[in-house]
Amino acid sequence: MTRRTPPLLNRSSSIRPALGAAVGVIALALIGTACSPVEPAGSSSGSTQAAAGQDVFGDPADPAQVKAGGTLTVALSADPDKLDPTLSRSLYSRYVFHTMCEKLYDLGPDAKIVPQLATALPTVSADGLSLTIPLRQGVKFADGTTLDSNAVRISINRGLTLAGSARKSELGPISSVETPNPQTVVIKLSKPFAPLTAALADRAGMVLSPAAVAKLGANFSSAPVCAGPFKFASRVAQNSIKVVKDPLYYDAAKVHLDAIEYRIITDSSIRSANLKSGDAQVADSLSTQDAPSLQSDGNMTVLQSQSLGYQGLTINIANSNGVGNPLKPLDTPIAKDPRVRQALALSIDREALVKSIFNNLNTVACGPISPKSEFSSEAAQVCPPHDPAKAKQLLADAGVNTPYKVTMIASNNPDSIRLAQALQAMVKEGGFDLVIKPVEYASLLDQQDRGDFELLQLGWSGRVDPDANIFNFVGTTGSQNVAGYSSPEVDKLLTDARQSLDKTERIKLYGEVVTKLQQDDPLIYIYRQRNLTGVSKKIQGIQVYPDGVIRTAFAGFTK
Amino acid sequence: MKRYLLSRLWQSVVTLILATIVVFAGVRALPGDPALALAGEDRDPESLRAIREQYGLDDSLLVQFWQFVSHAARGDLGRSIRTGEPVGSMIAGALPVTIELSILAILVASVIGVGAGVVAAVRRGRPAEWAANALALLGLSVPNFWLGLMAILYLSVALGLFPASGFVPFFSNPIDNLHHLVLPALILGTGLAAVIMRQTRSSMLDALSADYIRTAEAKGLSPRAVIGKHALRNSLIVVVTIVGLQLGALISGAVVTERIFALPGFGKLTVDAVFQRDYPVIQAVVLVTATAYIVINLLVDLLYSVIDPRIRVRGDA
């Protein structure tokens, strides 16, 4: 940071270095804004192991082929945030939670919801206002206390009321949680809310030890206690997290490892090197550059799972006052005229982009619903063809002079910049002059929320229920409607889909939403990422599901 | 002496306050805030408001500053916004790692640098000098990041000699601790080794042409004694000064090295806190660094004044 100056023979001798230290750190921070590794938009992409579009989730460990014991080291690309299911917001904390905090429901490899701490899917009342959940019996928390309906009630209420809770919006319009007996939970809603079961298959459905909650309060993350195959052991700030086998776990015979250490290694190449050297046995978020070499290594496997999210371009239509404030349309052709946005969408050759930038490993996306989702339909997967001539015609019809200059902000990580440059070259043919402004991730979020952009490239990691992938982004009152888009028709379709208990009806409604979104184009969907995880063949039973969470709890070292 | 001491102490306090204000204002001048960085893609206006309220980020800057200073004065550096851990214990855990890494890097750099410098001076104009110069040039120009990656690829992956990442505390297993730190210390010490080599070479060349060396040779001393006992010993004074001056560069180099080898050190803590806009951690890190600088400078100045009374007199003036 700063260099220590020789002692000076004047009064300012100690002022300079100390101020230098302060200025040094700020300078570092400013430099940092140009080279952030934080949650990039396109940091991980395909692999070469399976054919394009083919998922490799990994298989469960064969108990006859794995030995008991050993510590698994997982190289993680980012540091998880608070280890408190109520307050946690990062994907990476979910990797750790899955080993020590089981949920009422989980996700299967087919992206379908399955019971975990519950024994069956919820029974929903005819009016959709009551969900009855039967609980597994004989489950103990890591502190030895019993998991019952009261613990579930306390955990859900905590999610609804704790200051800074990240679960509140996921839990929806819950009016009360009732516990008719220790093995049954009844959730009462003020209005029907179909996405609730999916939310209970994530952090909102994790059950915390009431004793630990009472003891630690908002500092639960300092020594989290849940029910799971492993329990929290230690954490070294910004560096590592360790969990150890919990002998009290109800299915302890399935647990082979003694401990799992999550080691934070932000650089993708170094994660791969750690995998090859044997210092780590699992590494997440591999890059396209590293995946092929791991693939050709006989000692490695690359797991692939297509994301339920998307990467795309958001156009600022009416976000002049910042998200959450009253909408005020921008006075630019691309904000005012849907034809200009359609022209931009038609100028993008998604197939070519995926092929040239991501070696055909990611997949084309033209809407918010993944083809892997059980809510996908033909209408949801319609994709307007690449047609630069029509794009030019639309620009002419809209009375826009070409080349039409549009400025795009994008995350400054190498993958995003490569994507932006390819787009820049591509949309030229359609009559656009794309100017790229790379920005560090935290600054990008800031600009996005303030509405300080014309066009921005960013994605969404995806959730199981389509509502969580659409409503917040294009609903008029959506918490992340950074485009400032407002369509009464789309709002109605989304609200109906949200409140419908009929899956077929929801599929149809989401199909109609996609059709309407492709006419208005507030968000141009481009591609879907593939989560890539490198796994050493010394370990068996590592699995990755469409929710992007790496399952390590039931893995074991090969005999 | 008493007046001098008081005046120097007063300056130190003023400096610390100024440094605190600069960093407090500086981190808040960055775009985005901890709430945005923490919420990431899951943010919504209500959560952001709740986070800002929870950590007092919606208070006025004056209130926030007072909170920080008044708590720090009581030894409470707050809790990390991202992980909820006490910042004091985060720093206490990270500092020993960086200190040990720096000491090892200086050792590595001194052995390589002095050795190569002596060879270059004694074998002037011969291939040994060219090789030493080439090594120094490489050491100065190759970035630590690339060097670290190459070391991992060849020494860890291909040969399996050293671990590619991780850390074991010295007191839990000294051998394992050193095994984990060999590569990081080697990489961190490379740049410093180059500087030491060039300085040793030039000091040695000066020394070798000095009269006392000619006298020593005339007395019939062996070349080894002339170089080792007379020339090198005199050259090392300048080299030691240079090592002291490079300490700052070493600590900033540790930032990169710690990230490459996933070492839980002070540099990694600082950089990650900046990326995550973790205000309490950034502020505490700077406060601790500034305090360390001030205390060291104060001690050195006082020591100088003890050695040389003229400084004390000037300070009193």
Side-chain angles (χ1 to χ4, degrees):
Chain A
M1 265 165 271
T2 53
R3 183 171 289 190
R4 212 197 115 209
T5 51
L8 301 172
L9 306 182
N10 60 42
R11 285 173 185 274
S12 65
S13 60
S14 63
I15 293 180
R16 286 185 202 176
L19 277 180
V23 171
V25 168
I26 292 162
L28 183 71
L30 291 168
I31 292 164
T33 60
C35 53
S36 166
V38 190
E39 297 184 32
S43 64
S44 70
S45 44
S47 156
T48 55
Q49 181 159 327
Q54 194 177 326
D55 286 331
V56 183
F57 295 133
D59 301 311
D62 175 355
Q65 289 187 16
V66 295
K67 56 187 176 191
T71 297
L72 171 73
T73 303
V74 180
L76 274 193
S77 53
D79 192 23
D81 59 346
K82 286 191 183 78
L83 292 180
D84 180 334
T86 313
L87 300 173
S88 151
R89 292 164 187 278
S90 91
L91 166 72
Y92 305 94
S93 59
R94 292 158 80 198
Y95 292 172
V96 183
F97 282 138
H98 106 94
T99 64
M100 61 179 199
C101 290
E102 288 206 334
K103 307 161 283 187
L104 291 174
Y105 296 100
D106 196 13
L107 207 64
D110 51 0
K112 286 191 176 146
I113 296 167
V114 292
Q116 194 172 49
L117 289 173
T119 53
L121 289 175
T123 310
V124 186
S125 64
D127 59 4
L129 296 177
S130 171
L131 279 80
T132 304
I133 302 170
L135 295 179
R136 188 187 282 270
Q137 294 187 37
V139 178
K140 296 272 183 202
F141 288 111
D143 58 8
T145 56
T146 304
L147 189 152
D148 58 11
S149 56
N150 188 47
V152 176
R153 183 180 61 82
I154 289 171
S155 298
I156 293 179
N157 282 340
R158 190 173 188 261
L160 290 167
T161 55
L162 187 71
S165 166
R167 306 285 83 84
K168 201 175 170 186
S169 60
E170 294 171 12
L171 288 166
I174 293 181
S175 54
S176 67
V177 182
E178 294 172 5
T179 54
N181 62 57
Q183 275 77 52
T184 311
V185 177
V186 180
I187 298 176
K188 300 280 185 190
L189 300 166
S190 58
K191 56 185 171 186
F193 187 61
L196 183 58
T197 313
L200 296 176
D202 201 340
R203 284 163 290 195
M206 290 177 186
V207 188
L208 286 61
S209 156
V213 168
K215 188 178 157 199
L216 299 167
N219 289 328
F220 182 82
S221 61
S222 60
V225 182
C226 303
F230 290 81
K231 59 182 177 178
F232 177 76
S234 62
R235 176 172 198 171
V236 178
Q238 320 274 25
N239 192 258
S240 63
I241 294 170
K242 193 170 183 180
V243 294
V244 294
K245 184 175 178 174
D246 182 4
L248 298 175
Y249 180 57
Y250 60 86
D251 208 357
K254 271 179 74 184
V255 184
H256 308 291
L257 297 165
D258 286 337
I260 303 174
E261 183 186 335
Y262 294 90
R263 197 174 286 172
I264 320 306
I265 302 176
T266 47
D267 186 85
S268 166
S269 313
I270 295 174
R271 273 198 307 286
S272 298
N274 271 264
L275 202 57
K276 286 182 182 168
S277 71
D279 289 279
Q281 292 81 41
V282 179
D284 81 311
S285 304
L286 298 176
S287 83
T288 34
Q289 278 90 1
D290 300 319
S293 78
L294 287 175
Q295 201 60 55
S296 58
D297 188 328
N299 299 316
M300 303 289 162
T301 314
V302 176
L303 303 182
Q304 307 181 32
S305 120
Q306 186 181 294
S307 156
L308 292 170
Y310 56 81
Q311 291 288 329
L313 304 178
T314 303
I315 295 138
N316 192 346
I317 296 174
N319 178 10
S320 306
N321 300 318
V323 71
N325 294 315
L327 300 179
K328 185 183 161 201
L330 269 77
D331 190 25
T332 57
I334 199 164
K336 288 194 295 191
D337 196 331
R339 287 175 295 183
V340 180
R341 300 194 289 274
Q342 283 167 16
L344 183 61
L346 289 170
S347 307
I348 300 168
D349 185 350
R350 294 173 174 86
E351 296 277 356
L353 210 58
V354 162
K355 206 171 185 175
S356 59
I357 303 293
F358 304 111
N359 301 326
N360 224 7
L361 301 166
N362 290 340
T363 49
V364 162
C366 299
I369 298 174
S370 161
K372 303 279 175 189
S373 165
E374 54 180 329
F375 291 90
S376 180
S377 64
E378 209 174 302
Q381 299 307 326
V382 166
C383 205
H386 171 229
D387 193 344
K390 194 175 170 191
K392 273 192 167 163
Q393 184 57 51
L394 282 168
L395 286 180
D397 294 347
V400 173
N401 293 328
T402 54
Y404 173 49
K405 192 172 166 183
V406 188
T407 305
M408 178 174 83
I409 57 171
S411 184
N412 63 354
N413 70 74
D415 279 350
S416 293
I417 297 299
R418 277 196 308 152
L419 172 68
Q421 287 167 343
L423 279 171
Q424 186 180 45
M426 202 170 263
V427 300
K428 211 172 189 172
E429 209 187 334
F432 289 88
D433 173 15
L434 191 68
V435 180
I436 306 166
K437 279 197 175 168
V439 193
E440 178 243 8
Y441 184 65
S443 308
L444 185 76
L445 294 182
D446 183 47
Q447 273 184 262
Q448 177 186 246
D449 285 8
R450 284 192 287 109
D452 181 18
F453 69 94
E454 191 173 13
L455 184 67
L456 81 87
Q457 195 281 306
L458 205 62
W460 170 245
S461 64
R463 299 291 180 269
V464 178
D465 195 283
D467 179 80
N469 301 327
I470 312 175
F471 189 91
N472 280 345
F473 304 92
V474 292
T476 303
T477 56
S479 59
Q480 297 190 49
N481 178 15
V482 291
Y485 174 64
S486 179
S487 159
E489 191 184 337
V490 169
D491 288 348
K492 183 172 182 327
L493 289 168
L494 286 173
T495 308
D496 289 350
R498 198 174 234 214
Q499 294 179 352
S500 169
L501 298 172
D502 178 357
K503 190 174 158 190
T504 319
E505 173 71 7
R506 287 188 80 194
I507 291 173
K508 184 177 151 280
L509 289 169
Y510 285 127
E512 288 173 31
V513 168
V514 172
T515 307
K516 179 66 181 155
L517 287 178
Q518 286 178 348
Q519 288 161 9
D520 292 349
D521 282 319
L523 211 162
I524 301 171
Y525 303 90
I526 302 178
Y527 72 95
R528 251 173 266 287
Q529 277 180 250
R530 189 164 286 272
N531 302 315
L532 295 174
T533 306
V535 180
S536 159
K537 284 193 175 159
K538 286 179 188 158
I539 191 96
Q540 290 186 27
I542 303 290
Q543 292 179 282
V544 181
Y545 290 173
D547 60 0
V549 176
I550 304 172
R551 264 85 171 161
T552 49
F554 303 113
F557 283 94
T558 311
K559 273 180 183 166
Chain B
M1 181 67 188
K2 200 173 171 186
R3 271 183 64 193
Y4 175 70
L5 185 69
L6 280 176
S7 117
R8 289 294 289 106
L9 273 175
W10 168 242
Q11 286 171 18
S12 302
V13 171
V14 171
T15 309
L16 197 58
I17 293 171
L18 284 176
T20 311
I21 294 172
V22 168
V23 74
F24 180 86
V27 293
R28 279 162 181 79
L30 290 172
D33 71 358
L36 263 181
L38 185 66
E41 65 166 19
D42 261 339
R43 73 206 178 285
D44 56 74
E46 199 188 336
S47 307
L48 291 175
R49 252 196 311 277
I51 298 174
R52 285 177 184 137
E53 197 183 317
Q54 193 180 359
Y55 293 100
L57 299 168
D58 51 354
D59 291 337
S60 71
L61 283 181
L62 270 179
V63 171
Q64 288 185 51
F65 184 67
W66 173 246
Q67 288 284 341
F68 163 54
V69 172
S70 59
H71 282 90
R74 293 197 296 268
D76 173 14
L77 295 172
R79 279 179 179 270
S80 157
I81 291 179
R82 186 166 178 87
T83 65
E85 287 179 80
V87 177
S89 65
M90 287 167 85
I91 291 176
L95 260 182
V97 179
T98 303
I99 291 172
E100 190 189 353
L101 176 64
S102 302
I103 291 171
L104 288 176
I106 289 174
L107 277 177
V108 168
S110 301
V111 171
I112 299 175
V114 171
V118 170
V119 169
V122 175
R123 308 267 173 206
R124 197 175 177 197
R126 297 194 203 165
E129 191 203 6
W130 303 335
N133 276 334
L135 274 178
L137 191 67
L138 274 177
L140 284 174
S141 45
V142 175
N144 275 2
F145 189 82
W146 184 82
L147 215 53
L149 200 54
M150 290 301 114
I152 288 177
L153 283 181
Y154 291 104
L155 300 178
S156 298
V157 177
L159 299 175
L161 294 176
F162 302 102
S165 67
F167 179 77
V168 177
F170 184 80
F171 293 107
S172 71
N173 187 339
I175 293 175
D176 218 8
N177 165 273
L178 292 174
H179 193 212
H180 277 86
L181 284 177
V182 169
L183 275 191
L186 208 67
I187 302 307
L188 183 57
T190 316
L192 184 59
V195 174
I196 293 177
M197 178 265 156
R198 292 173 72 86
Q199 191 58 51
T200 309
R201 177 183 165 275
S202 97
S203 304
M204 278 289 285
L205 286 176
D206 283 348
L208 287 173
S209 59
D211 290 343
Y212 64 88
I213 294 294
R214 208 178 316 132
T215 310
E217 284 172 340
K219 275 159 63 183
L221 284 180
S222 69
R224 177 176 287 196
V226 172
I227 292 166
K229 282 192 178 170
H230 295 270
L232 180 60
R233 192 172 279 187
N234 279 292
S235 312
L236 281 185
I237 298 165
V238 188
V239 173
V240 169
T241 313
I242 290 291
V243 171
L245 289 174
Q246 290 292 318
L247 267 178
L250 203 63
I251 289 168
S252 59
V255 170
V256 178
T257 316
E258 285 168 7
R259 279 179 80 88
I260 299 172
F261 293 96
L263 295 174
F266 198 65
K268 188 170 186 297
L269 184 74
T270 312
V271 173
D272 290 346
V274 169
F275 284 136
Q276 292 154 1
R277 307 288 194 269
D278 201 338
Y279 290 171
V281 179
I282 306 173
Q283 284 165 184
V285 159
V286 174
L287 195 66
V288 168
T289 313
T291 309
Y293 267 104
I294 288 168
V295 169
I296 292 169
N297 273 274
L298 185 65
L299 289 177
V300 170
D301 282 6
L302 292 178
L303 207 62
Y304 265 65
S305 71
V306 170
I307 296 166
D308 186 350
R310 286 173 300 175
I311 296 164
R312 196 163 64 220
V313 172
R314 207 175 299 171
D316 283 345

